[in-house]
Amino acid sequence: MTNFFLQALAEVGTPSVLGLITIGVLFGIIGGSIPGFTVTMAILVVFPFTFAMDPVSGVSLMVGVFVGGYSGGIVSGVMLGIPGTPSSITTVYDGYPMAQKGEPGRALGIGVASSFLGTLISVAVLVFFGPLIANFSMNFRPWEITALIVFALTLVAGLSSGALLKGLMAAALGLLITTVGYDRNSNLRFDFDLPAMGSGFEILPVMIGIFAFSQLLGNIEKLKDEKSEAKKIDTNVTIPYGQILKDMAGQKLNTLRSSLIGSLVGALPGTGGTVANFLSYDQAKKFSRRPEEFGTGIPSGIVASEASNSAVAGGAFVPTLALGIPGDLPMAIMMGVLILHGITPGPMMFEQNPVLVGAIYASLLIGAVVMVLCNLLLVRWFAKISLIPQQILVPVVLMLCAIGAYALNNNLFDIWVLFIFGIIGYLLWKAEVPLTPLILGVVLGDNLERQLFRALELNESWMTFLTRPLSALFLALAVASILFSLYQDRKIQRLKNAASRENI
């Protein structure tokens, strides 16, 4: 392990790759700083620029965006009281009140330090548990992998904000999209007599369309409804380093607990930074001797929020690298980067591409250091960037999305794919259909079909999925996750009905 890590460190330590990590971190922080832009959007915009890069450079750039993006949400959260990303919602609870008390520099400093420590702890989790899971999953055959993908899809659908049926439908639609074009036996499917569809849809324009383009359409709609209110924010921020060290010295247990929660939640498919954010904030409040002070501008709340959402980064890499199952939406895009470079994440990745795995570890560590330096040195400028109005932001990002889709194959068809799936994504968003299961269906569809057909070629009996212990376990967990989601949905509905009756 030491040898491949040193080799990876040598590759990542070149000036060009270090420069890419720095650019990625900066872009991620900027993306996270702008309300409504989100870390996922930042990753999607940068994704096309990795096409011409070697795998280490491309992945290092994306890891930089990933690390920077999760920390960037704190800027707008503290300065404007608006979370830059969904994963920094609870940062607002204490960061904004602290800024209103005249201590924005202290709030930002605590947030940056917590993000740094959270990322480091999550990298440790990735280093220790990633290879263990990969070694365990080396025994997986097509039946186990097929059942695992089914379980991941049902788990993601079940966590779709109480909309189980919509989540399952979205996942099914994502799988259906991957069936367009030729199958493994060279049979043409769903081409609608359009030659361009014969080769199927590229993942990138579909993902950009479904998530980024649809979100931009939603932002345009909000612009019509909201009156622009220019907020007068004092961006002349100074970080009180001595105070930050004192604050963090009293938050050791909170930092460790929140980072471990973030790492664990990040490793679960379909959860991500938002869930980790609320869980760790809730736990910090329960363990606190003065829970009544949460929400009034105390360091504990900021630490719990920022340490957990940054720790999601390392945790989310565990299932993505070890099993080929992305933990959340940004990881699904990261998996797309690896696939684009001809690398298939999964158990064999640790054996076949150990240097690339080591490069991801090294990029996360270097990215965390760069993130701290950038945030501390440039925090005043990031605070100004968070004030960019959506009227300017939306058309610029829209243009970058279209350029990114076209750059994939220099093909206008990909731009049409982006726009069509953007409209589909927007309509689904309006219908409150969760988009994450749809994206994961698109990313995992090819692998699911390949593994399923390979399993049936080896043994025609479907019962084999139930007679093999691990595949049967994953299928049982899939059924259990659906049943549990149904129970949760009914419980929520009963509570809503009871509340409405009381109001009557």
Side-chain angles (χ1 to χ4, degrees):
M1 176 176 168
T2 307
N3 287 338
F4 85 75
F5 183 71
L6 290 176
Q7 192 179 343
L9 199 58
E11 292 206 25
V12 174
T14 60
S16 61
V17 178
L18 288 176
L20 287 172
I21 293 174
T22 305
I23 291 170
V25 170
L26 280 169
F27 190 77
I29 295 173
I30 292 169
S33 302
I34 301 171
F37 192 75
T38 75
V39 60
T40 306
M41 187 83 81
I43 290 173
L44 278 170
V45 170
V46 172
F47 187 5
F49 293 98
T50 66
F51 296 166
M53 299 179 188
D54 60 87
V56 170
S57 299
V59 170
S60 298
L61 174 63
M62 297 293 285
V63 169
V65 178
F66 201 67
V67 173
Y70 273 113
S71 74
I74 187 175
V75 178
S76 62
V78 169
M79 302 303 295
L80 302 175
I82 304 170
T85 65
S87 60
S88 61
I89 290 173
T90 57
T91 304
V92 177
Y93 295 169
D94 285 282
Y96 190 53
M98 189 178 282
Q100 287 183 312
K101 291 177 186 174
E103 297 181 301
R106 184 185 176 195
L108 289 170
I110 293 171
V112 171
S114 306
S115 291
F116 176 67
L117 294 173
T119 304
L120 291 188
I121 292 171
S122 75
V123 171
V125 171
L126 172 63
V127 170
F128 286 110
F129 290 98
L132 288 177
I133 295 175
N135 283 334
F136 173 69
S137 57
M138 286 291 286
N139 298 319
F140 285 14
R141 301 291 304 279
W143 299 275
E144 284 78 21
I145 298 174
T146 302
L148 179 61
I149 293 174
V150 170
F151 170 51
L153 289 171
T154 56
L155 187 60
V156 172
L159 291 169
S160 302
S161 307
L164 174 64
L165 184 59
K166 290 180 179 178
L168 290 174
M169 287 172 60
L173 180 59
L175 296 176
L176 185 65
I177 290 169
T178 63
T179 61
V180 173
Y182 288 97
D183 68 6
R184 52 193 276 116
N185 297 318
S186 302
N187 297 315
L188 190 59
R189 305 172 297 188
F190 309 121
D191 71 329
F192 301 100
D193 292 327
L194 294 173
M197 291 180 66
S199 56
F201 297 119
E202 293 283 354
I203 290 178
L204 176 66
V206 173
M207 284 200 302
I208 293 178
I210 289 174
F211 187 81
F213 187 72
S214 63
Q215 187 167 326
L216 290 171
L217 290 178
N219 288 351
I220 291 171
E221 186 177 290
K222 287 178 185 174
L223 288 177
K224 294 179 182 175
D225 301 332
E226 296 175 356
K227 295 179 180 178
S228 61
E229 295 179 3
K231 293 190 176 183
K232 294 182 179 179
I233 306 295
D234 180 12
T235 55
N236 190 22
V237 179
T238 304
I239 304 290
Y241 295 102
Q243 181 65 50
I244 302 302
L245 288 175
K246 284 183 185 176
D247 288 334
M248 294 308 295
Q251 297 293 329
K252 291 188 282 293
L253 280 178
N254 188 13
T255 304
L256 180 62
R257 180 179 57 243
S258 302
S259 301
L260 291 177
I261 289 174
S263 300
L264 180 64
V265 171
L268 297 175
T271 48
T274 309
V275 176
N277 209 227
F278 281 100
L279 270 179
S280 59
Y281 190 85
D282 177 64
Q283 289 303 306
K285 193 173 178 180
K286 284 177 177 168
F287 276 91
S288 173
R289 293 176 181 174
R290 295 184 292 276
E292 70 281 0
E293 293 182 358
F294 275 72
T296 61
I298 59 172
S300 299
I302 302 173
V303 170
S305 177
E306 286 302 309
S308 63
N309 67 24
S310 293
V312 167
F317 270 108
V318 174
T320 305
L321 297 181
L323 301 174
I325 305 294
D328 58 8
L329 195 54
M331 272 298 115
I333 301 164
M334 188 68 75
M335 191 168 157
V337 176
L338 295 171
I339 292 171
L340 189 76
H341 287 283
I343 298 159
T344 304
M348 297 302 291
M349 186 172 171
F350 284 78
E351 282 199 353
Q352 295 174 347
N353 295 286
V355 176
L356 187 62
V357 174
I360 292 172
Y361 296 166
S363 299
L364 279 168
L365 289 172
I366 295 171
V369 175
V370 173
M371 178 270 292
V372 170
L373 295 175
C374 288
N375 269 313
L376 294 182
L377 295 175
L378 304 173
V379 67
R380 293 183 186 182
W381 297 101
F382 293 143
K384 293 179 191 295
I385 289 168
S386 67
L387 303 178
I388 293 177
Q390 292 285 323
Q391 290 90 336
I392 297 173
L393 186 69
V394 170
V396 171
V397 177
L398 197 57
M399 185 182 67
L400 288 173
C401 288
I403 292 172
Y406 180 75
L408 183 63
N409 294 312
N410 294 333
N411 189 349
L412 281 175
F413 178 71
D414 288 332
I415 295 183
W416 280 110
V417 171
L418 183 153
F419 280 109
I420 291 170
F421 278 100
I423 293 168
I424 292 173
Y426 173 71
L427 294 175
L428 292 174
W429 173 72
K430 292 284 287 182
E432 298 182 347
V433 175
L435 297 180
T436 301
L438 176 58
I439 296 283
L440 287 182
V442 172
V443 172
L444 297 175
D446 279 339
N447 194 23
L448 176 62
E449 182 181 2
R450 188 167 58 251
Q451 299 296 340
L452 177 62
F453 276 84
R454 192 180 296 169
L456 293 176
E457 285 169 358
L458 292 170
N459 189 331
E460 292 182 354
S461 174
W462 289 84
M463 289 302 293
T464 312
F465 286 98
L466 299 178
T467 55
R468 294 178 68 89
L470 274 177
S471 64
L473 174 65
F474 288 137
L475 291 177
L477 288 172
V479 174
S481 72
I482 292 175
L483 293 176
F484 181 72
S485 299
L486 283 172
Y487 166 75
Q488 289 283 70
D489 284 359
R490 287 196 173 190
K491 188 177 176 182
I492 292 169
Q493 193 57 48
R494 279 201 301 271
L495 290 173
K496 284 181 179 176
N497 292 339
S500 62
R501 281 197 296 272
E502 286 179 7
N503 290 332
I504 291 172

